[in-house]
């Protein structure tokens, strides 16, 4: 649905700003972002709980806030909405409200599909990154807490984190004196993961870029107000 051209290098990210490290500054704008390789955007939406036949017309990242979305309902599910597209061989879903990406990670990743999921978690830091493939979470960690990892292969991304000056060569010690937060560590971690998997997401997805939207939970109104 969209194309992003680049060579995947750190220099290209800095020139074009279309890696994924900018998501470190997206607190409050989205609930999460799901990247999936091996399925089209419509199938990604279906695996997240959407009716594939019930997409809206393309809407912008600004217009999403004009939909009737209740993030929280006492005693019931809130509303979850996604906007979907594709870039550089990966489908992606931008999550809003009470979305399903974190709960359905292994379902999205079944049958050989690769999934990278980012959750900003502004109210309960740290922000979280997970990588899943073929129905299993292989590794994950919190941004700024990369020395504590989980999954079937928790050390899978350690070489990238070391190369990005997030962790020392032992894979445990943060690259910061006295354990203080390393400047830009969130962006460094996101950049490392983005380079490893060739992820690209233009910042326009949160602005003027128009993408179809789907309901994945609850009963939001999808008519623009």
């Amino acid at each position: 649905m969209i194309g992003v051209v680049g060579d995947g290098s750190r220099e290209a990210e800095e020139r074009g700003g279309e890696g994924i490290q900018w998501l470190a500054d997206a607190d409050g704008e989205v609930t999460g972002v799901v990247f999936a390789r091996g399925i089209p955007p419509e199938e990604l939406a279906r695996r997240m709980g959407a009716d594939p036949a019930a997409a809206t017309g393309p809407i912008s990242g600004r217009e999403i806030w004009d939909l009737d979305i209740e993030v929280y309902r006492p005693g019931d599910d809130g509303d979850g909405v996604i906007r979907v597209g594709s870039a550089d061989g990966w489908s992606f879903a931008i999550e809003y409200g009470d979305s399903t990406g974190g709960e359905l990670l292994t379902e999205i990743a079944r049958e050989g599909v690769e999934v990278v999921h980012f959750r900003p978690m502004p109210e309960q830091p740290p922000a979280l990154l997970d990588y899943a493939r073929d129905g299993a979470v292989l590794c994950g960690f919190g941004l700024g807490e990369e020395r504590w990892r989980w999954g079937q292969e928790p050390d899978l991304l350690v070489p990238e984190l070391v190369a990005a000056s997030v962790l020392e060569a032992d894979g445990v010690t943060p690259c910061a004196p006295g354990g203080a937060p390393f400047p830009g560590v969130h962006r460094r971690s996101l950049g490392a993961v983005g380079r490893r998997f060739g992820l690209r997401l233009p910042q326009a997805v949160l602005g003027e870029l128009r993408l179809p939207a789907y309901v994945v939970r609850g009963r939001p109104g999808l008519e623009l107000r």
Side-chain angles (χ1 to χ4, degrees), residues 6-225:
D7 61 13
S9 68
R10 184 178 300 179
E11 291 77 12
E13 286 180 6
E14 291 172 352
R15 288 196 307 269
E18 288 193 341
I20 64 168
Q21 73 274 40
W22 63 269
L23 287 170
D25 303 317
D27 286 2
E29 295 187 70
V30 297
T31 302
V33 182
V34 179
F35 298 91
R37 181 159 59 186
I39 51 175
E42 295 79 9
E43 174 64 11
L44 172 57
R46 189 186 71 79
R47 293 190 184 194
M48 293 180 69
D51 177 355
T56 69
I59 61 174
S60 73
R62 296 187 179 95
E63 289 172 328
I64 197 78
W65 301 111
D66 291 328
L67 302 179
D68 185 13
I69 298 175
E70 291 290 336
V71 175
Y72 173 74
R73 289 192 181 92
D76 199 358
D77 288 335
D79 296 331
V81 175
I82 59 174
R83 294 166 60 240
V84 301
S86 62
D88 283 15
W90 288 81
S91 297
F92 63 79
I94 312 298
E95 300 184 274
Y96 304 89
D98 190 14
S99 187
T100 57
E103 299 168 26
L104 297 176
L105 196 57
T106 55
E107 164 65 17
I108 300 166
R110 62 184 172 80
E111 298 171 346
V113 171
E114 291 183 274
V115 179
V116 176
H117 188 213
F118 170 67
R119 286 172 280 179
M121 305 292 289
E123 296 181 2
Q124 288 186 301
L128 301 176
L129 265 172
D130 287 287
Y131 170 66
R133 186 180 68 232
D134 203 18
V137 176
L138 297 190
C139 63
F141 50 83
L143 298 191
E145 299 183 357
E146 291 82 2
R147 63 181 182 265
W148 295 305
R149 300 179 291 272
W150 55 82
Q152 293 185 359
E153 301 179 38
D155 295 342
L156 180 67
L157 298 175
V158 167
E160 285 73 18
L161 295 171
V162 170
S165 299
V166 174
L167 295 175
E168 299 287 358
D170 61 6
V172 176
T173 307
C175 290
F182 192 87
V185 68
H186 291 193
R187 294 177 65 87
R188 288 177 180 269
S189 290
L190 285 165
V193 172
R195 287 188 294 276
R196 166 67 184 266
F197 297 111
L199 299 174
R200 199 91 70 244
L201 191 67
Q203 296 187 48
V205 297
L206 301 189
E208 68 274 13
L209 187 64
R210 303 177 70 82
L211 298 167
Y214 295 85
V215 175
V216 294
R217 173 177 279 155
R219 48 185 187 277
L222 293 187
E223 295 297 324
L224 294 173
R225 290 187 288 230

